[in-house]
Amino acid sequence: MGSSTDRKRKLDLADDAKKQNKTLDARQSSGINPWTGKAYSSRYQSILQTRLKLPVYKFQSELLEAVADNQIVVIEGETGSGKTTQIPQFLVEIGYATPGKSCVGCTQPRRVAATSIATRVAEEMDVTLGKTVGYTIRFEDISDPNETVLKFLTDGMLLREAMSDPFLSRYSCIVLDEAHERTLATDVLMGLLMEVLPKRKKGSKHGELKVVVMSATLDAEKFQAYFGGAPLMKVPGRTFPVEVFYTAEPERNYLEAATRTAIQIHQCEGPGDILVFLTGEQEIEQACEEIRLGAQDMGKDASELVVYPLYSSLPPAQQRKIFSAAPGPKVVGGKPGRKVVVSTNIAETSLTIDGIVYVIDPGFSKQKVYNPRIRVESLLVSPISRASARQRSGRAGRTRPGKCFRLYTEQSFHNDLQETTYPEILRSKMSNVVLTLKKLGIDDLVHFDFMDPPAPETLMRALEVLNYLGALDDEGDMTDLGRQMAELPLDPQLSKMLICSPDYNCSDEIVSIVASMSVPQIFLRPRENAKAADEAKAQFVDNTSDHITLLNAYATYEEIPQAERRDWCWNNFINDRSISSAESVKKQLKGIMRRLDIPLVTCRGANGSFDTNAIRMALTSAMYMQTAYLQSAGNYLTVKDNQIVYVHPGSSIDSKPQWVVFEEFALTSKNYIRTVTTTRGEWLVEMAPHYFDLENFPECEAKDELMLEYKKLARRMTR
DNA sequence: GAGCACTGC
């Protein structure tokens, strides 16, 4: 086959695309909805008029031709272009999907986006949600394998589907939306697509797979290069101009500068709401307080200023307040009031607040960092990237022209900030990603085509951990245990813990613990009610284990009648959103356990109490890689990495046990270990004799104890 | 004796 033939075929396809495009218009004007066979509703016609005005419509034929000609197309679409709702529809309307056979999938990084976009698109297409158009997110599959032609799903969900369908055979076309966010799942999916696309060419077993990668920022060119020079199309957006101001000198205290700027805007600028970006809950509450005080100082004549905090752990009712309208003038004909929202990064991507005209950007956010040497992920306040700064300022121009005040110098913006934020894959542990890739059949991790390859040390660490856990054998091949672990939507350590828990007769308890650990903090401790919160928690405390403390709270919750749960949570300082999502997670995990034949057994005695030794053994069996031992100075030292750590003051553990295993490492004022369980030298030696080598152990009481245990173990084994 | 940005399966 000569290349001229190929080119001819491509041109034919492009012609087809054009022809079909015309029939599409004809079909729409015929007034019959091809998906339902019914006449279009008047609502459809009126929405269509709005849709046709979206900037992306001008690019419809160009886009469809590019997709017809290429397996991968990259689209750089600004906010307000309509790309997310319209492009998947274009693909479906031109015939890329056939009910019951193939569909177009569109990924989103967040669940709310997947569900709300699906709802909107179903409305635009005048079809029933869950039939022609559907969505799939964890815990919820609103799609129909026989009818759905357009499915919105979270990127993590598509990755999970790939585990049982490595060629993504049910899709004829995949749209990766918000690719610039570079979530862990998006990055893994892109690498996977690089492997799958050559096997899904035209005429292949599962038919041709088309991919459309959509990015909102300048790094679309990076995507283009990564995908072997795929065509890049730019779709303009529809937003209002935002004037950007910098400070003349660097600000020493960004918190103080931010509150001062907010007050100044209220005093001097025209009407419009203010959005302030800060890094965390504590900072935000403090800033809110100071802005309120500042507004009071302005006297009675000033117009009203209402201040709302916004961060994810805020109860939903309080989160919703940010959408309430700004207060009106105090007197008839007076100056209107103003709303200030002080927010974490949540307002940068996840939540959009209309009516924001002023943005205050101090230039920082909390970011996850991973240190492979000590195998610890932690949060660090760090400077944001230029891309992030642009995204933040864009929040001021959604409804009319706005202003953005950057609390750093223009020179700093250009010289000190990175162009883009490091993708998550460079800031995370890789153990779960590696397990997923192995499950997907990718054995050669070194040559796997990551857009940004993680550090070799990070991958080595992941392989090492998976080998210790028994998920990979010494050759790096997946074991049966590893295959089971990959089925569970958990960190490998937690998967291993769950799978092995029947050996300790406590899988019912471990599944509750694991579920409670995979949701946000269950115990609340508001600063103004700290004492009452501690007292409430005390009724659940097991002073040998934070994990068991969590279990006690969860198990009590399960027994509270549905109708009383909300009050019970409130009275006991329990985060009800968290604990009820723990219940959903537990339900999902139990379903998978059933499928994998992992028996559900309880260690609960007739009197209702748990066999806490059994639970602590099960915890130790999977967490021994995070062990610390007591030193005479009163601190703990981690095994292998020799990090000096302290048990977090919020821990249930009240004495100083010789040996502990811990869940996380928080680098704050000190190196704290959080969620800690007391363990025993004899368990460690028995469960992980390969891990605790005495050769490299510093002289300490703990070593003497280990020596003794080794001798006992040796005696048992020779007997 | 102190503090957990945000997602996702």
Side-chain angles (χ1 to χ4, degrees):
Chain A
M1 279 284 195
S3 63
S4 63
T5 324
D6 282 350
R7 181 169 307 155
K8 170 132 188 358
R9 200 174 57 209
K10 276 183 188 167
L11 288 170
D12 287 348
L13 277 170
D15 281 347
D16 284 352
K18 273 185 227 161
K19 268 181 237 150
Q20 285 185 36
N21 205 3
K22 280 187 193 132
T23 54
L24 167 67
D25 292 340
R27 196 160 65 186
Q28 284 181 344
S29 57
S30 79
I32 301 294
N33 187 335
W35 305 112
T36 58
K38 292 181 197 153
Y40 283 115
S41 65
S42 57
R43 183 164 170 73
Y44 169 85
Q45 302 295 350
S46 76
I47 298 178
L48 184 61
Q49 294 317 305
T50 338
R51 285 171 60 198
L52 292 171
K53 289 186 197 118
L54 289 166
V56 72
Y57 253 88
K58 291 197 195 77
F59 297 84
Q60 185 180 16
S61 359
E62 195 186 327
L63 169 84
L64 289 172
E65 281 169 35
V67 176
D69 286 353
N70 301 276
Q71 230 182 337
I72 313 174
V73 175
V74 180
I75 295 174
E76 182 187 311
E78 294 168 19
T79 33
S81 61
K83 64 177 189 325
T84 300
T85 51
Q86 305 310 305
I87 288 175
Q89 287 188 69
F90 294 166
L91 295 164
V92 166
E93 285 166 352
I94 202 85
Y96 279 108
T98 315
K101 281 190 180 151
S102 63
C103 71
V104 172
C106 177
T107 68
Q108 294 295 323
R110 284 166 292 279
R111 287 187 215 157
V112 272
T115 55
S116 59
I117 296 162
T119 310
R120 171 69 192 179
V121 169
E123 215 182 350
E124 290 188 359
M125 289 174 67
D126 215 6
V127 297
T128 313
L129 181 66
K131 294 290 178 189
T132 305
V133 173
Y135 67 85
T136 307
I137 59 173
R138 188 182 189 178
F139 309 131
E140 214 182 349
D141 182 8
I142 308 295
S143 70
D144 182 334
N146 296 316
E147 285 195 47
T148 302
V149 287
L150 176 52
K151 189 164 90 165
F152 292 87
L153 71 176
T154 47
D155 48 13
M157 202 66 222
L158 183 60
L159 199 54
R160 207 135 266 276
E161 284 186 4
M163 291 205 272
S164 55
D165 178 16
F167 291 102
L168 296 162
S169 62
R170 74 187 82 169
Y171 297 96
S172 51
C173 185
I174 286 169
V175 181
L176 288 183
D177 199 7
E178 313 284 4
H180 62 279
E181 286 192 29
R182 303 289 308 277
T183 66
L184 214 52
T186 296
D187 270 25
V188 176
L189 279 172
M190 289 196 295
L192 180 68
L193 287 170
M194 293 292 261
E195 303 255 327
V196 170
L197 282 170
K199 299 168 188 160
R200 290 280 314 264
K201 295 264 187 210
K202 206 171 170 70
S204 63
K205 190 181 164 202
H206 301 291
E208 190 180 23
L209 177 65
K210 299 285 192 183
V211 172
V212 177
V213 180
M214 309 210 286
S215 166
T217 53
L218 303 168
D219 53 338
E221 272 135 37
K222 185 171 177 180
F223 290 100
Q224 185 185 24
Y226 174 69
F227 287 116
L232 169 62
M233 289 186 50
K234 300 196 182 194
V235 183
R238 192 186 286 154
T239 50
F240 297 91
V242 175
E243 204 180 341
V244 176
F245 300 90
Y246 295 91
T247 56
E249 295 294 323
E251 290 286 354
R252 216 179 320 149
N253 180 342
Y254 69 81
L255 191 58
E256 183 273 325
T259 55
R260 176 167 27 90
T261 309
I263 301 287
Q264 277 169 1
I265 292 172
H266 186 49
Q267 265 171 336
C268 313
E269 298 280 346
D273 299 329
I274 307 172
L275 174 61
V276 187
F277 284 103
L278 289 173
T279 68
E281 172 178 345
Q282 217 185 348
E283 216 174 74
I284 287 168
E285 293 293 353
Q286 192 186 334
C288 285
E289 202 49 44
E290 278 164 23
I291 295 171
R292 283 186 198 115
L293 288 173
Q296 272 173 27
D297 287 349
M298 288 166 67
K300 284 206 171 72
D301 298 336
S303 61
E304 203 178 335
L305 185 69
V306 285
V307 188
Y308 300 115
L310 176 63
Y311 42 88
S312 75
S313 59
L314 211 58
Q318 269 177 282
Q319 271 191 16
R320 274 193 296 274
K321 283 188 186 166
I322 62 158
F323 297 112
S324 50
K330 280 182 183 166
V331 291
V332 180
K335 260 173 81 177
R338 205 192 295 271
K339 172 171 82 178
V340 185
V341 177
V342 187
S343 171
T344 59
N345 248 2
I346 193 169
E348 198 181 297
T349 46
S350 310
L351 266 170
T352 306
I353 313 157
D354 278 328
I356 297 294
V357 177
Y358 305 99
V359 162
I360 300 172
D361 171 22
F364 292 94
S365 71
K366 271 189 191 166
Q367 286 169 27
K368 185 168 72 180
V369 285
Y370 176 61
N371 182 338
R373 199 174 51 80
I374 53 176
R375 279 177 293 188
V376 162
E377 285 179 332
S378 47
L379 285 173
L380 206 65
V381 174
S382 329
I384 61 168
S385 63
R386 284 193 288 273
S388 232
R390 289 189 196 102
Q391 175 75 11
R392 287 180 172 190
S393 52
R395 293 308 205 187
R398 293 191 60 90
T399 38
R400 59 189 172 95
K403 290 181 180 175
C404 174
F405 299 89
R406 294 189 176 148
L407 305 180
Y408 38 90
T409 63
E410 185 164 11
Q411 193 192 1
S412 195
F413 174 80
H414 292 293
N415 302 340
D416 302 342
L417 301 190
Q418 284 179 280
E419 178 54 30
T420 52
T421 310
Y422 267 119
E424 201 184 357
I425 200 160
L426 300 182
R427 299 182 283 119
S428 312
K429 287 190 288 192
M430 282 294 104
S431 43
N432 209 9
V433 170
V434 168
L435 189 65
T436 305
L437 289 174
K438 289 275 176 185
K439 174 83 182 176
L440 289 167
I442 287 141
D443 289 321
D444 188 2
L445 293 171
V446 180
H447 295 106
F448 184 70
D449 196 355
F450 286 110
M451 190 163 177
D452 284 282
E457 193 182 359
T458 308
L459 288 173
M460 287 307 294
R461 280 294 194 186
L463 290 166
E464 185 191 55
V465 166
L466 292 170
N467 178 241
Y468 277 133
L469 291 173
L472 302 178
D473 62 24
D474 291 346
E475 274 69 54
D477 293 326
M478 205 167 201
T479 62
D480 286 337
L481 175 63
R483 269 180 281 275
Q484 287 202 320
M485 283 165 63
E487 292 288 320
L488 292 157
L490 296 167
D491 239 30
Q493 289 206 13
L494 296 182
S495 299
K496 160 88 184 233
M497 191 190 293
L498 189 56
I499 293 170
C500 296
S501 58
D503 298 348
Y504 303 95
N505 220 34
C506 59
S507 54
D508 202 359
E509 287 68 34
I510 294 294
V511 71
S512 297
I513 291 175
V514 160
S516 306
M517 291 201 302
S518 39
V519 297
Q521 189 65 43
I522 280 180
F523 295 110
L524 293 173
R525 196 168 187 269
R527 242 184 318 168
E528 62 281 12
N529 275 324
K531 198 157 173 263
D534 289 344
E535 281 164 15
K537 188 180 172 184
Q539 52 183 326
F540 307 117
V541 161
D542 176 298
N543 57 26
T544 67
S545 168
D546 290 316
H547 295 89
I548 298 175
T549 299
L550 208 50
L551 169 66
N552 287 336
Y554 180 81
T556 311
Y557 170 83
E558 268 191 336
E559 284 167 15
I560 306 291
Q562 209 77 38
E564 296 163 31
R565 283 183 170 182
R566 183 178 277 233
D567 283 347
W568 181 85
C569 286
W570 180 261
N571 295 332
N572 290 285
F573 292 88
I574 300 284
N575 182 338
D576 72 2
R577 251 195 313 170
S578 267
I579 204 160
S580 80
S581 63
E583 197 175 27
S584 313
V585 174
K586 180 176 172 181
K587 195 173 153 227
Q588 186 192 26
L589 294 176
K590 279 168 77 176
I592 300 171
M593 287 168 76
R594 220 172 297 129
R595 217 177 62 222
L596 298 178
D597 278 327
I598 302 167
L600 196 67
V601 284
T602 178
C603 64
R604 216 165 182 170
N607 62 355
S609 65
F610 299 113
D611 178 352
T612 56
N613 272 350
I615 297 172
R616 282 162 51 217
M617 284 172 84
L619 291 166
T620 305
S621 75
M623 292 173 65
Y624 64 83
M625 276 167 281
Q626 272 125 256
T627 301
Y629 56 93
L630 184 66
Q631 290 197 299
S632 49
N635 63 284
Y636 284 81
L637 207 63
T638 58
V639 172
K640 298 259 179 183
D641 333 296
N642 303 318
Q643 293 286 310
I644 295 174
V645 294
Y646 299 86
V647 174
H648 194 274
S651 170
S652 315
I653 290 174
D654 54 0
S655 60
K656 292 225 164 168
Q658 189 67 242
W659 294 96
V660 294
V661 287
F662 59 92
E663 189 58 33
E664 51 177 338
F665 206 142
L667 305 168
T668 51
S669 54
K670 274 181 181 174
N671 288 349
Y672 286 112
I673 49 176
R674 273 202 303 237
T675 321
V676 177
T677 283
T678 310
T679 190
R680 290 186 192 160
E682 56 178 288
W683 295 346
L684 292 166
V685 167
E686 205 172 294
M687 293 171 185
H690 53 305
Y691 193 80
F692 293 89
D693 55 338
L694 289 173
E695 303 264 316
N696 302 312
F697 230 79
E699 291 305 325
C700 64
E701 265 181 63
K703 178 172 180 172
D704 299 340
E705 192 196 323
L706 272 190
M707 283 282 238
L708 214 65
E709 293 305 332
Y710 268 112
K711 280 181 195 151
K712 276 197 247 169
L713 183 71
R715 237 177 292 147
R716 266 207 310 268
M717 284 169 73
T718 49
R719 216 181 283 149

